[in-house]
Amino acid sequence: MSAHNEAAPNLIGDELADNEAVVLEAGADAAGQRLDQWLAAKLGPEISRSRVQALIRQGAVSIGGKPVEEAKRKMAAGERVSVVMPEPEPAEPQGEAIPLDILYEDDELIVINKPAGLVVHPGAGNWTGTLVNALIHHCGDSLSGIGGVRRPGIVHRLDKETSGVMVVAKTDRAHKALSEAFADHGLTGDLERAYLALVWGIPQRPTGTVDAALGRAADRVRRAVVPEHRDDARHAVTHFRVVERFGEGQKEFTTASLVECRLETGRTHQIRVHMAHIGHPVIGDPDYGQAFRTKANRLPEPLKSEVNAFSRQALHAWLLEFRHPTTHLTMRFEAPMPRDMEELVGGFRKL
């Protein structure tokens, strides 16, 4: 089916089948508008602007028969835009029998050790198989609803390929208290988080602080250190301490370090961006450590092969401490490094 009436208020619904292309023609009023804004208005409330941007990234939007690469592309009058509509997304996540490593659970909250590779909540490209799906299956209707239907109980998150301790709220009361603690980042003493990162090189000082604002990188997907005055700049502070040094005192092989990082703020990819910013990116980081991957060539076998085969960032949330929202007792949870990261660290210890 094709549609050419720019005034059509909503082109999504019973009249449009899944995976069928809709074609829209831009009128004079469209000239100069961003493509994603214009499309979101034309496609109706069921398709949000962020969903339109995802469709563009997936190559589902074309102009003149050629896929569009940038959502911010400016429209011109008379252009014909083709959109291949996706299958409908589920209204809310469904429970799935995914194993959970539960460290603690009561009526108010649940603490888990998240494995690497598990996405926290559903989103574009990951509508199933997430931690939220597992929690819905395990907890049933007891999860807090404050986070919304796609993020029930979630007060903080870890990147997909980062492992470690997470707490999830089971009541709205717990959700509110824990969210306030995470928003405060432990400044009042009610929260402590620590990560272990295996990084390239050895920092000059045994301890240090990275105080550098973060914003969107040029690709609009990753994060980067940006000037504080930029509109999207967000204050970010990471404290680090060198736990172990590998290869120190020799020049034949590349050096590395096991570093503990503690967050004063909690920005997206904060540790990964900050460690790369000071010249010590997390080993295996596909987004912020690519420029350092050749350092593996200066390692002995079998460590060289192990590093090249390690397909995720070597980052683990080993400690989480917080005040229980109802008992007000301080609760501390630790999780050992997962086997793949422990084996990698063990290889570096042999340098």
Side-chain angles (χ1 to χ4, degrees):
M1 180 192 101
S2 297
H4 302 288
N5 181 5
E6 190 184 5
N10 185 3
L11 296 170
I12 309 303
D14 295 337
E15 62 175 311
L16 185 61
D18 304 335
N19 297 316
E20 188 174 353
V22 57
V23 180
L24 301 167
E25 184 171 333
D29 293 343
Q33 290 189 42
R34 283 177 56 125
L35 172 62
D36 56 347
Q37 293 176 324
W38 181 78
L39 267 183
K42 294 295 103 183
L43 294 176
E46 289 84 354
I47 301 293
S48 66
R49 182 176 170 187
S50 62
R51 187 62 176 137
V52 168
Q53 293 170 345
L55 290 172
I56 292 172
R57 289 195 297 270
Q58 295 164 12
V61 179
S62 301
I63 296 180
K66 296 182 178 180
V68 179
E69 296 182 352
E70 292 191 358
K72 64 181 180 180
R73 178 193 185 280
K74 300 299 184 181
M75 295 293 298
E79 286 187 313
R80 290 166 61 85
V81 182
S82 174
V83 185
V84 178
M85 300 309 303
E87 295 181 1
E89 300 165 2
E92 58 185 69
Q94 302 300 309
E96 297 178 46
I98 300 171
L100 290 172
D101 182 1
I102 299 174
L103 303 180
Y104 174 83
E105 182 176 11
D106 61 23
D107 292 339
E108 296 286 335
L109 53 86
I110 181 171
V111 181
I112 62 118
N113 179 19
K114 187 189 86 69
L118 182 64
V119 176
V120 171
H121 54 73
N126 293 288
W127 298 115
T128 60
T130 71
L131 175 60
V132 164
N133 296 109
L135 289 168
I136 291 173
H137 179 271
H138 177 79
C139 300
D141 296 332
S142 65
L143 285 177
S144 164
I146 291 179
V149 295
R150 288 183 181 159
R151 302 187 184 188
I154 302 300
V155 295
H156 70 120
R157 70 179 185 88
L158 298 175
D159 292 338
K160 175 183 177 181
E161 299 298 347
T162 298
S163 56
V165 187
M166 284 187 62
V167 60
V168 177
K170 294 175 67 176
T171 68
D172 288 350
R173 174 175 55 187
H175 199 296
K176 183 176 184 295
L178 290 170
S179 293
E180 289 175 352
F182 275 89
D184 183 59
H185 304 298
L187 295 180
T188 59
D190 289 342
L191 180 75
E192 185 175 1
R193 288 182 290 171
Y195 296 71
L196 287 173
L198 181 61
V199 304
W200 288 114
I202 300 174
Q204 293 183 347
R205 298 180 179 179
T207 62
T209 297
V210 184
D211 185 344
L214 301 182
R216 290 193 179 276
D219 60 11
R220 309 295 295 172
V221 177
R222 295 179 297 172
R223 297 299 189 270
V225 170
V226 299
E228 292 185 0
H229 58 77
R230 216 171 80 171
D231 290 343
D232 66 331
R234 297 294 182 268
H235 179 59
V237 178
T238 302
H239 305 284
F240 68 86
R241 175 177 66 88
V242 179
V243 178
E244 289 188 65
R245 299 167 177 82
F246 308 118
E248 188 177 33
Q250 55 81 40
K251 297 182 179 180
E252 182 179 359
F253 302 121
T254 300
T255 59
S257 305
L258 185 64
V259 177
E260 182 188 74
C261 296
R262 293 178 181 254
L263 301 178
E264 188 173 310
T265 57
R267 308 302 179 193
T268 300
H269 299 176
Q270 178 174 317
I271 292 174
R272 297 162 62 189
V273 178
H274 273 174
M275 294 311 296
H277 178 63
I278 64 172
H280 301 287
V282 179
I283 291 176
D285 193 327
D287 297 314
Y288 307 104
Q290 281 293 339
F292 283 70
R293 286 196 67 85
T294 57
K295 284 186 174 291
N297 295 331
R298 293 186 52 216
L299 293 173
E301 292 290 2
L303 181 57
K304 173 183 174 181
S305 296
E306 292 171 356
V307 170
N308 286 329
F310 199 81
S311 59
R312 68 177 184 88
Q313 62 266 10
L315 182 62
H316 175 67
W318 79 273
L319 169 68
L320 177 62
E321 184 175 298
F322 58 88
R323 189 181 302 278
H324 193 283
T326 54
T327 68
H328 305 297
L329 295 174
T330 298
M331 308 190 74
R332 180 185 177 94
F333 300 95
E334 300 178 8
M337 284 189 291
R339 178 177 296 180
D340 63 342
M341 186 171 166
E342 181 62 50
E343 290 178 349
L344 192 62
V345 170
F348 275 98
R349 286 183 176 133
K350 298 175 183 178
L351 285 179

